[in-house]
Amino acid sequence: MKVYLDNGATTRCDEKVIERMKKIYLKNYGNPSSLHSLGRDAKKEVDRARKEFANYLKISEEEIIFVASGSEADNLAIKGLSLAYPEKKHIITSKIEHPAILRTCEDLERNGYEITYLDVNKEGLIDIKKLKELLRTDTLVVSIMHANNEIGTINDIESISKICREKNVFFHTDAVQSLGKVKLNLGNIDLASFSAHKIHGPKGVGALYIKKGIRLKSIIKGGGQERGLRAGTENVPGIVGFAEALTSLSEKEIERITELRDYFIERVMKEIKEVHLNGPLKERLCNNASISFHYVEGEGLLYHLDAKGIAVSTGSACSSKSLQVSHVLRAIGLKHEIAHGTIRFTFSKYNTKKEIDYVIDSLKEIVTNLRKMSPLYPEEK
Amino acid sequence: MDYNEKVIKRFSKPKNVGEIKNADGIGKVGNPRCGDVMELFIKVKNNKIVDAKFRTFGCVAAIATSDALCDMVKGKTIEEAKKITNQDIVNDLGTLPPIKVHCSVLGREALDAAIKDYENKKN
């Protein structure tokens, strides 16, 4: 049996998405900047997709910029603001942000910016009161992710953005994991990053929401596409596919995924000893279960699951290029030896209960075997 | 991670897992914080290692290295075993991803510790 439980990494493309993209690739393949009819037709496709996007997010069309990835959207948000408002040299973010935010902030730090990295509690939530105290007149932007990619924590960004608005500080959120899954009211949010391939859309396309009135400077220069904010020929099939993907998850499907997740968590916690769930039980992404299996190491567990056709990811240092334990697991205070045994299971609408049962049976067998092999596992247990 | 088939095979079906009761030498190295703990047991008769087993908490490379090391030391005299280098262990597995070479060093250290334990017990 093949079971894909790494939907936090990327998802299978929806067939409706592919159908719409195929039409662009084969028939509407013009460059939206071209003057001839093929070009004009391609531009209409981009305009239509932008309108669908705007309707979905209840924003206006000129508030959305298409880019090549969620990471690019994050980079453009932070760097674009820093270039447009150079007098403000302080940024607040959290310790569990995506590397696209953290590395961008570090880059600015090397250029004289002061960055405050907020701690999170053991569930991955920031302290909103503390944030309020840290806001300054020279604070450029606060960037807090909507839902965490590793442990699934959903931050209360409506409250956070309201505080920022009161203090006249821009608020950006990386909403890559939450788009299409968690209701998002952009009310006080100034900028938000999105990505298509996490919601059954194509890879290589992202979007940045920029509230009307906010100046931003581009980081990619060229032909003036996307209102001069992002040069480069528009990825027309990708943009169209992204718009189609926005509605790929119905309320009913989200409910079903949530049920699968809860069924999985409940059975794992009950049937495998000495495990724990990372992140909150309730305020978490509908498709995320981050579980630490004590006394075993995640990479080994991942490869054994892989041999059984099950795809997951791990926060173990041993699997990372830097040999560092995941910064998110460290920030929520997990001991290193426990962080090493952490596996992220992320579900999608394509998963079935039968698959989940198979994964649980496999997990029970593998964890037992690895623990037998582990010198850390107390013998009396 | 870019593991070769030999490494994956060793990791998936290790032959030498377990502990040796009344082992003549035990070496335990590594640190759970770093994600690798290796415990090596050796049985020695007439200065020759006649059996070797391991218990390892660690990644694919750590487990494959432990298992390969056990096979390598079996049948060797203590002096011969002392000469095994971490590169010998890597060579036995074919290759290891560069960032995983430290696992073979850990194997070498486990062997050192087990031999030292054996020599201490003997004297």
Side-chain angles (χ1 to χ4, degrees):
Chain A
M1 194 186 265
K2 287 266 179 206
V3 187
Y4 186 73
L5 293 186
D6 201 12
N7 291 280
T10 193
T11 57
R12 175 174 132 190
C13 221
D14 195 296
E15 297 210 355
K16 281 188 296 177
V17 170
I18 295 170
E19 280 311 308
R20 247 179 100 178
M21 290 176 70
K22 195 173 160 191
K23 196 186 131 216
I24 308 287
Y25 275 120
L26 297 176
K27 291 186 179 147
N28 259 337
Y29 50 83
N31 185 326
S33 298
S34 296
L35 298 179
H36 47 69
S37 64
L38 209 55
R40 296 197 303 273
D41 286 347
K43 184 167 182 305
K44 271 183 209 153
E45 290 287 355
V46 174
D47 290 344
R48 188 176 138 206
R50 201 185 308 276
K51 197 169 174 117
E52 287 171 31
F53 224 96
N55 289 343
Y56 179 81
L57 292 173
K58 297 184 178 66
I59 55 173
S60 72
E61 289 148 57
E62 61 273 25
E63 289 179 309
I64 202 88
I65 296 292
F66 290 110
V67 296
S69 63
S71 291
E72 190 191 330
D74 283 344
N75 273 259
L76 176 58
I78 305 297
K79 287 208 166 148
L81 280 177
S82 75
L83 293 168
Y85 302 87
E87 67 285 2
K88 296 194 171 182
K89 300 279 192 205
H90 177 228
I91 294 172
I92 301 177
T93 184
S94 86
K95 287 187 177 164
I96 65 166
E97 294 302 306
H98 189 273
I101 289 294
L102 293 175
R103 300 294 92 79
T104 301
C105 285
E106 287 162 14
D107 223 16
L108 290 171
E109 211 167 3
R110 281 186 287 273
N111 286 312
Y113 278 73
E114 190 186 328
I115 317 285
T116 305
Y117 300 94
L118 290 172
D119 286 321
V120 294
N121 66 14
K122 68 181 193 340
E123 297 200 316
L125 295 162
I126 64 153
D127 182 342
I128 299 181
K129 259 191 223 155
K130 181 128 191 240
L131 167 71
K132 201 171 180 177
E133 290 162 15
L134 288 164
L135 292 170
R136 314 193 312 218
T137 50
D138 68 334
T139 306
L140 172 70
V141 59
V142 172
S143 179
I144 302 291
M145 71 199 327
H146 190 194
N148 184 267
N149 49 320
E150 289 189 38
I151 56 171
T153 308
I154 299 170
N155 260 301
D156 178 9
I157 54 170
E158 287 189 21
S159 301
I160 299 169
S161 59
K162 197 166 160 248
I163 288 166
C164 295
R165 173 59 48 87
E166 284 162 10
K167 297 267 183 177
N168 261 326
V169 172
F170 293 128
F171 178 74
H172 165 258
T173 189
D174 178 324
V176 164
Q177 291 288 341
S178 62
L179 181 67
K181 302 188 194 99
V182 189
K183 278 206 179 93
L184 179 61
N185 173 12
L186 286 167
N188 288 315
I189 295 163
D190 298 301
L191 303 108
S193 303
F194 308 110
S195 174
H197 74 107
K198 309 284 192 195
I199 53 165
H200 308 290
K203 290 166 182 67
V205 57
L208 179 66
Y209 160 75
I210 309 166
K211 193 181 281 303
K212 217 179 274 179
I214 295 177
R215 277 184 289 138
L216 214 62
K217 283 204 172 159
S218 68
I219 50 176
I220 296 178
K221 314 284 178 189
Q225 290 89 347
E226 297 297 293
R227 295 192 294 116
L229 280 169
R230 204 283 183 181
T233 297
E234 296 86 342
N235 174 2
V236 186
I239 291 167
V240 167
F242 196 174
E244 183 65 36
L246 283 175
T247 52
S248 67
L249 279 181
S250 66
E251 289 274 341
K252 217 173 157 188
E253 274 160 335
I254 291 173
E255 238 170 72
R256 199 183 67 83
I257 296 167
T258 311
E259 275 168 24
L260 274 185
R261 177 201 70 183
D262 291 344
Y263 172 73
F264 175 79
I265 292 174
E266 208 185 301
R267 274 198 65 191
V268 169
M269 306 291 277
K270 207 194 282 176
E271 296 173 34
I272 304 179
K273 278 183 198 159
E274 300 192 73
V275 298
H276 76 259
L277 178 74
N278 298 301
L281 205 53
K282 281 198 171 151
E283 289 306 305
R284 76 182 299 130
L285 273 180
C286 62
N287 72 334
N288 172 296
S290 165
I291 296 179
S292 298
F293 298 86
H294 305 184
Y295 310 111
V296 299
E297 189 279 320
E299 192 197 75
L301 187 45
L302 181 147
Y303 271 82
H304 277 298
L305 287 168
D306 188 40
K308 289 183 178 289
I310 302 163
V312 298
S313 63
T314 172
S316 169
C318 301
S319 67
S320 74
K321 286 177 192 135
S322 58
L323 293 182
Q324 292 287 317
V325 166
S326 136
H327 66 291
V328 177
L329 301 179
R330 261 181 297 156
I332 61 169
L334 275 200
K335 281 190 189 160
H336 279 244
E337 51 267 48
I338 290 183
H340 286 302
T342 303
I343 298 283
R344 179 186 71 172
F345 306 87
T346 39
F347 311 93
S348 85
K349 62 176 177 176
Y350 297 118
N351 292 124
T352 62
K353 189 158 173 270
K354 208 174 147 195
E355 287 181 348
I356 305 301
D357 286 331
Y358 171 70
V359 173
I360 294 166
D361 288 343
S362 305
L363 269 174
K364 282 157 77 173
E365 180 193 322
I366 296 165
V367 170
T368 304
N369 285 339
L370 284 176
R371 279 179 179 167
K372 263 188 211 157
M373 197 189 286
S374 170
L376 305 180
Y377 193 54
E379 271 175 44
E380 65 272 17
K381 278 181 182 154
Chain B
M1 207 60 70
D2 208 4
Y3 291 121
N4 70 29
E5 264 178 51
K6 216 169 169 181
V7 173
I8 292 290
K9 207 175 154 195
R10 279 269 181 205
F11 157 76
S12 310
K13 291 199 169 70
K15 294 177 278 180
N16 304 302
V17 176
E19 65 182 283
I20 299 176
K21 299 280 176 212
N22 307 317
D24 296 307
I26 302 172
K28 190 171 178 180
V29 294
N31 182 339
R33 272 182 66 84
C34 309
D36 293 307
V37 178
M38 208 178 272
E39 202 172 13
L40 182 69
F41 303 86
I42 52 171
K43 191 84 195 153
V44 185
K45 255 185 204 154
N46 301 328
N47 203 39
K48 212 175 210 179
I49 299 174
V50 290
D51 198 11
K53 287 195 182 300
F54 76 93
R55 296 207 304 167
T56 292
F57 163 81
C59 63
V60 172
I63 290 169
T65 303
S66 311
D67 196 51
L69 177 66
C70 288
D71 277 347
M72 285 173 81
V73 298
K74 275 189 246 178
K76 286 206 167 57
T77 62
I78 292 294
E79 285 66 38
E80 284 167 342
K82 279 181 180 172
K83 284 183 196 144
I84 295 171
T85 65
N86 81 293
Q87 190 56 45
D88 292 335
I89 306 172
V90 176
N91 292 347
D92 188 73
L93 290 166
T95 52
L96 276 182
I99 62 161
K100 294 290 185 176
V101 170
H102 72 276
C103 293
S104 66
V105 176
L106 198 69
R108 173 66 252 174
E109 286 169 4
L111 180 57
D112 277 341
I115 290 174
K116 205 173 160 196
D117 183 49
Y118 161 70
E119 287 175 339
N120 284 345
K121 276 181 187 160
K122 206 173 71 172
N123 299 325

